[in-house]
Amino acid sequence: MTDGPAGGATPAHLLRHALADMWRTVRRADLAIVYCSVVLLVAVVLWFLPEGTRDQVYEDTSTNLANLRDRPISVLLASAFVISSPSEVLLVLQLLVVLAYAQRFVGRLASLAVGFMGHVGATVFTAMVLTTGIFHGFVNPSVATVDDVGVSYVMATVMGFLTVVVPRRWRWWWVAFVVVYWVGPGLVARNFTAVGHTTALVIGLTVAFVAGRTRQAAGWSGDVPGRR
């Protein structure tokens, strides 16, 4: 997504260049910083609450079938700001970088729209799959109340969307990477979260495809905004 240094640079030079570019991108990405900071702040507050209270918050903000039926709007919004375990802090830090590059190349509004579209779209599609599975007896009805919160749907969508700004010579490598990253674990776990991750990634890749075709139709062959 960035242009490397000229000449026969060593791997160490390339790595330093990439890290420096990442740092410049992240520190200028106010939307990404604010969103991820709020997610981490909520996580810290929850971890200091009594276990029973914390579990109740997870239950109330989960996008499970029961909550989506009773209060869909509130849980769709709240679930995107809650992570359920300390291990997901690493995922939030990765999301910070991903959102920062999205904001750099397409701006705040587009980044927000794509991330929200993926979070909502993947959640709703997964809920439809589970509802159909329960109706036909393929899925255990207990999944209707299983906790489902986190930022992974947002991240999967935005990573798919970033395909549109990857240089052409690297594009298929990037697509292969994001497919393995998000779909691969789901082939092993085979749970409803895997359906959501795959759906979110497909949404991001689809939006990237549409955006790329729109640029071509407009006859624009220039560089992506923000790229140096």
Side-chain angles (χ1 to χ4, degrees), residues 94-120:
Q94 295 176 55
L95 176 63
L96 173 61
V97 176
V98 170
L99 278 177
Y101 275 102
Q103 182 177 335
R104 168 180 166 180
F105 291 127
V106 300
R108 298 183 187 89
L109 183 59
S111 301
L112 181 64
V114 170
F116 184 74
M117 182 191 311
H119 177 70
V120 173

Side-chain angles (χ1 to χ4, degrees), residues 63 68 72-73 75-77 79-80 113-127 153-154 157 199-200 203:
T63 53
L68 286 173
I73 303 301
V75 295
L76 281 171
L77 292 174
S79 62
V114 170
F116 184 74
M117 182 191 311
H119 177 70
V120 173
T123 300
V124 171
F125 181 79
T126 302
Y153 292 173
V154 175
T157 305
T199 304
I203 291 173

Side-chain angles (χ1 to χ4, degrees), residues 7-84:
T10 65
H13 289 151
L14 291 173
L15 178 60
R16 283 197 295 269
H17 174 81
L19 292 176
D21 183 80
M22 183 187 302
W23 169 244
R24 288 193 301 268
T25 300
V26 168
R27 71 180 182 181
R28 296 171 181 171
D30 50 359
L31 174 66
I33 291 173
V34 169
Y35 174 57
C36 293
S37 296
V38 171
V39 172
L40 292 176
L41 178 61
V42 170
V44 170
V45 172
L46 287 176
W47 295 334
F48 280 98
L49 292 177
E51 184 177 354
T53 304
R54 183 169 63 248
D55 291 342
Q56 187 62 50
V57 172
Y58 292 150
E59 181 179 339
D60 291 342
T61 58
S62 172
T63 53
N64 56 39
L65 297 182
N67 286 347
L68 286 173
R69 181 182 61 247
D70 296 338
R71 48 185 191 282
I73 303 301
S74 62
V75 295
L76 281 171
L77 292 174
S79 62
F81 291 89
V82 178
I83 56 177
S84 59

Side-chain angles (χ1 to χ4, degrees), residues 12 50 59 70 77 118 129 149 159 172-173 204:
E59 181 179 339
D70 296 338
L77 292 174
V129 171
V149 295
M159 286 181 71
W172 287 110
W173 288 103

